[in-house]
Amino acid sequence: RTAAFNCLRQLASSLPGCLGEHASSLVPGVVRALKDASANPLRIEALAFLQLALSTHPPAVFQPHAATLVPTVLSLVEDRYYKITAEALRVSAELARVLRPSPPDPPTFDFAALVAPLFTCVSARLVAQDQDQEVKERAIECVGAVVCRLGDLHAEALPALLPVLLERMRNEMTRIAAVKTFALLAAAKVDAQLASPLAGTGGSVL
């Protein structure tokens, strides 16, 4: 199965969009692989394929499967193995684009129930201290992607997230990832609250 996902990844990379009509057949197999806790290499390969498939196909291809994919991927964001967590965060960032490809346009399908769990899960990884460097960087990038796409739909989460991102920017180990994320937030088409007062600071991000 690992080899099959590797082959599918090569197809998605070489021929973007070629798997669109097969999404309904592929998603159940991907979900089964992601839930197989006995095979970490398989889960990593399945996550790598899913991330590439999401990024190389129109969002509408995977929107019908969002209610299945989002909870499954978020469960792996909480995994103990750092490689799985890092890959799951990359997929989560792509899922934010699938949910809302053109913010601030109104949603094209009902994904309201997925927004709060997505914020909660990636926020928990952002604030965690004792974790691998790659996971820290992926968490910063993922939060940026989620806020850029969905920040106005869960605005109550932003006052807690922005100070953490600022703290990551002050840390030499995570500064580059944080700076890139703030650049995305500054260019976001939704209100990322960069000009809003931050609790306990007397100022804003800007």
Side-chain angles (χ1 to χ4, degrees):
R1 287 191 293 171
T2 301
F5 279 119
N6 184 272
C7 181
L8 288 169
R9 189 150 54 95
Q10 298 304 317
L11 276 174
S13 176
S14 303
L15 299 168
C18 69
L19 300 174
E21 63 185 75
H22 306 290
S24 296
S25 301
L26 290 170
V27 168
V30 171
V31 171
R32 282 195 299 272
L34 295 180
K35 291 182 177 180
D36 188 351
S38 66
N40 282 339
L42 173 64
R43 293 199 291 176
I44 292 171
E45 193 64 44
L47 285 167
F49 162 69
L50 182 57
Q51 188 274 331
L52 187 61
L54 294 174
S55 66
T56 57
H57 288 73
V61 170
F62 290 99
Q63 285 175 350
H65 310 285
T68 300
L69 290 172
V70 171
T72 303
V73 172
L74 293 184
S75 69
L76 296 182
V77 170
E78 300 171 350
D79 197 86
R80 294 181 179 181
Y81 186 31
Y82 77 95
K83 288 188 177 181
I84 288 178
T85 300
E87 286 296 331
L89 285 165
R90 292 180 68 221
V91 176
S92 297
E94 287 297 336
L95 284 170
R97 184 186 69 86
V98 169
L99 294 178
R100 198 182 192 191
S102 303
D105 292 350
T108 57
F109 72 109
D110 185 11
F111 59 83
L114 304 176
V115 175
L118 184 57
F119 266 92
T120 299
C121 189
V122 300
S123 298
R125 273 300 177 186
L126 177 69
V127 302
Q129 296 291 338
D130 187 18
Q131 55 188 355
D132 183 83
Q133 177 67 20
E134 183 181 4
V135 173
K136 290 180 181 180
E137 293 179 356
R138 293 292 173 268
I140 292 168
E141 294 166 0
C142 184
V143 165
V146 171
V147 171
C148 283
R149 301 282 179 179
L150 309 171
D152 59 327
L153 303 181
H154 199 57
E156 61 269 27
L158 302 190
L161 289 176
L162 294 176
V164 181
L165 287 174
L166 274 177
E167 185 62 32
R168 296 295 180 266
M169 190 165 63
R170 297 187 185 106
N171 187 314
E172 184 177 353
M173 299 297 292
T174 52
R175 182 171 299 147
I176 293 177
V179 168
K180 290 180 179 179
T181 293
F182 274 117
L184 287 176
L185 296 180
K189 296 182 179 180
V190 303
D191 182 11
Q193 300 186 17
L194 296 186
S196 300
L198 297 177
T201 67
S204 67
V205 172
L206 299 178

